[in-house]
Structures are given as C-alpha cells and as structure tokens.
Amino acid sequence: MKQETSEILNAFKENQKNRGRLLINCPDQPGIIAAVSKFLFDHGANIMESSQYSTNPEGGSFFIRIEFECSELQEKKEELTSEFQEIAKKFSMDWKLSLVSELKKTAIFVSKELHCMRELLLEWQGGDLMTDISLVISNHEDAREIVERLGIPFHYIPATKENRAEAEAKQLSLLKEHEIDVIILARYMQILTPDFVAAHPYKIINIHHSFLPAFVGARPYDRAYQRGVKLIGATSHYVTDDLDEGPIIEQDIMRVDHRDQVEDLKKIGRSIERSVLARAVKWHLEDRVIVHGNKTILF
C-alpha cells in the first residue's frame, strides 16, 4: 500500500515540477498586480490561476494567490526568491514562494478517536491529499496497527498534565528530526503549551465540534441533546495560545431534530469533523490560506 501511495506522490511531483505558487499580503495600493505580473513574465513564467482580495482599496490590506508555470523552476527558485525581494520591499509585502513539487511534510497527532485520522489516511492513499505523512504521534496505542500497516512511523508518547513538558520535548524532537511543516491534531485530546504553539506558528491545524462556546468541556453531545439543538457542526482552525479560538479555516453544519439520540448526534458530528478537517488540511497544503489577524483569507 505504501508503494502505491509513493508512486502516486512521485508522479504528482514529476507532473508539477514546473508549477509554483506565490502568496502575498501587503497594504493595498495601485501597481501591485502589474509589478508581480511583469516580474513573472520577465522570468518566463505563465500565470495559470490568480485570485485576489482587498479589504479596502483606500488604505486596506491586499491579498493575492498566484499559481504559475515556469520551465526549469526547481533550478530557478533561488534566483526568483532573491530577485523578488526588491518588489516585496517596495510594496511592504509578506510573501511566500513555494514549489508545488516540494510536498509539505506532515505529522498527525491523534488520541483514541480515530475517525479523522482514518479520513486523512484514506485521502492520502487515494492521491487527494498531496503531502508526505512522515509520522503519527499518539498518547494512546489505538492507532498503531492502522498506521504501521501503511508503513508510516508510529510514536506512542504518553501525555498528561503531570508529564506534559517531558512529552512535548520528545514530540518537538521528532518534529525537528523529520523537518515537519504541518501538524494536524486529528482529535488529539491534549492541550498544547504556549512554547509548543510558538514553535510552529499557523502550522498546527485542529478540529472540534461547533457547540462552543455554549457547551464547553466534557460530554458536549449529551448536553446538546438535552438542550434540543437543531444544528450540529465542526470547526477546523489554526492553533493559538487562546484555546479553540485561533483563525478559522473551515466549518460545516448538519441539521438534526428530536428523533436523533445522543449516539446519532455523535455519529453525525464525527462525519462532519472528518470532511471539515480534510478540506482545511488540503487548502493549507495547496497554499490557499493567508492568516489576517484572527481571520483567514481563503483562495
């Protein structure tokens, strides 16, 4: 199974070897698109897709995502990065140039609920999630067989309030060793410390039910059932020091009624969580997300 997935990923990297992405965030003013387009044209690049947004043309913030094709891009990347600095400085840009063929390295964190992890692995196996899943870290052993069957390294690191510092030190060491770009909390039921979050700003993606802030804490579905909720859903967001309040990437809902019991609500909730997290991760991997304050711009 790992060989089949590797073949899919390698074929993707070969097919996309000349495809690049440019993400830009800067103060809005005339001439930004013209300057960037001319730069790409001068370097032999052809724009394949371009999406932009301005919060306000008079003193607002401007965002743009450009996907382009450029022959021998892998050899030209350093040159493009260096020469774009002049434009970036002129327009006070926060920017990132990435090669589509350079797949991001991903780590999945999971506890005992495996539905979100299963969905990610399924999408990855089918070639719908283009990433290098480098390892899975868990504070339980439940996921080991599933993960190792796919040839992915599995690391069991018990984590509690009492040993949190020790556990995170081991986790951070593994993330550094594997040069991880993205961390996915696929129902990882532990709170991360500020130091851990600070080490990976806007690179940690979480998923949880959307009952917050109405039903905080344990047994949210039981309390939602008692309250007679009519909508349930899920939220995927970047992790910040403010618990479950980071920039939202994706959300979805489903209508329920009085016929649905607690177990029905949980089953529906798990289904929504799976799809919402998968979409959020995919958009991040495709460089479609720009964080702006505590919000996200999605292209």
Side-chain angles (χ1 to χ4, degrees):
M1 188 65 70
K2 183 180 181 182
Q3 183 178 353
E4 293 176 9
T5 305
S6 295
E7 289 174 356
I8 292 173
L9 297 178
N10 288 334
F12 175 84
K13 288 191 286 187
E14 176 63 25
N15 291 335
Q16 301 293 323
K17 63 182 180 182
N18 290 323
R19 184 66 63 93
R21 299 183 185 125
L22 191 58
L23 280 182
I24 297 170
N25 172 16
C26 63
D28 199 358
Q29 58 182 293
I32 299 171
I33 296 178
V36 174
S37 299
K38 184 177 185 304
F39 173 85
L40 292 173
F41 173 78
D42 290 343
H43 288 82
N46 184 27
I47 295 175
M48 308 300 294
E49 179 183 334
S50 180
S51 301
Q52 65 266 353
Y53 167 71
S54 174
T55 60
N56 190 326
E58 300 294 334
S61 296
F62 179 77
F63 308 87
I64 187 168
R65 176 188 184 272
I66 296 176
E67 193 158 314
F68 62 91
E69 193 83 9
C70 183
S71 61
E72 300 179 349
L73 180 58
Q74 293 170 332
E75 292 77 12
K76 292 180 179 178
K77 182 183 179 182
E78 187 174 335
E79 174 191 344
L80 289 170
T81 302
S82 175
E83 294 187 10
F84 193 75
Q85 299 283 357
E86 183 177 345
I87 294 176
K89 183 177 180 181
K90 177 180 178 181
F91 291 98
S92 302
M93 293 177 174
D94 288 328
W95 63 285
K96 180 177 74 171
L97 173 66
S98 61
L99 270 56
V100 175
S101 60
E102 294 179 349
L103 299 182
K104 295 178 177 61
K105 295 183 178 181
T106 298
I108 298 176
F109 282 45
V110 66
S111 290
K112 299 186 74 172
E113 295 190 46
L114 308 183
H115 57 284
C116 286
M117 183 198 73
R118 287 178 184 272
E119 182 71 19
L120 294 172
L121 295 178
L122 184 64
E123 298 247 342
W124 174 71
Q125 287 176 261
D128 294 318
L129 207 63
M130 287 300 169
T131 185
D132 173 6
I133 299 181
S134 302
L135 73 161
V136 173
I137 295 176
S138 180
N139 56 331
H140 295 278
E141 289 278 8
D142 300 56
R144 180 182 291 277
E145 183 180 352
I146 298 170
V147 173
E148 291 185 341
R149 192 188 308 142
L150 296 175
I152 301 170
F154 178 87
H155 297 271
Y156 167 57
I157 302 177
T160 64
K161 291 181 180 179
E162 290 71 29
N163 77 333
R164 184 163 293 157
E166 179 186 352
E168 285 197 352
K170 293 179 181 177
Q171 292 166 351
L172 288 169
S173 177
L174 285 169
L175 297 175
K176 183 177 181 181
E177 176 187 340
H178 289 271
E179 300 179 317
I180 294 299
D181 301 301
V182 189
I183 301 165
I184 307 169
L185 306 184
R187 298 293 290 166
Y188 181 66
M189 307 307 289
Q190 293 289 318
I191 297 175
L192 303 178
T193 66
D195 288 343
F196 189 101
V197 174
H200 302 90
Y202 303 122
K203 294 182 179 180
I204 309 173
I205 300 175
N206 191 26
I207 184 72
H208 60 71
H209 60 78
S210 286
F211 292 140
L212 301 175
F215 305 114
V216 180
R219 304 176 69 85
Y221 284 95
D222 297 75
R223 287 180 288 140
Y225 172 76
Q226 295 297 330
R227 185 67 178 83
V229 299
K230 298 298 184 281
L231 292 171
I232 63 175
T235 294
S236 184
H237 63 91
Y238 289 115
V239 175
T240 63
D241 288 342
D242 297 320
L243 183 63
D244 292 332
E245 294 186 15
I248 294 171
I249 306 171
E250 172 63 334
Q251 293 178 297
D252 204 354
I253 58 169
M254 188 173 293
R255 184 167 291 280
V256 296
D257 62 27
H258 58 276
R259 299 176 183 85
D260 294 302
Q261 302 298 306
V262 174
E263 288 306 314
D264 297 318
L265 300 185
K266 290 180 179 179
K267 184 181 295 185
I268 294 169
R270 286 193 292 268
S271 177
I272 304 170
E273 287 173 1
R274 290 198 303 266
S275 59
V276 166
L277 180 60
R279 287 198 297 271
V281 170
K282 185 175 182 180
W283 294 340
H284 179 91
L285 295 174
E286 294 178 351
D287 300 306
R288 296 189 178 276
V289 189
I290 299 178
V291 176
H292 178 52
N294 200 44
K295 300 170 64 176
T296 58
I297 307 299
L298 295 172
F299 291 119

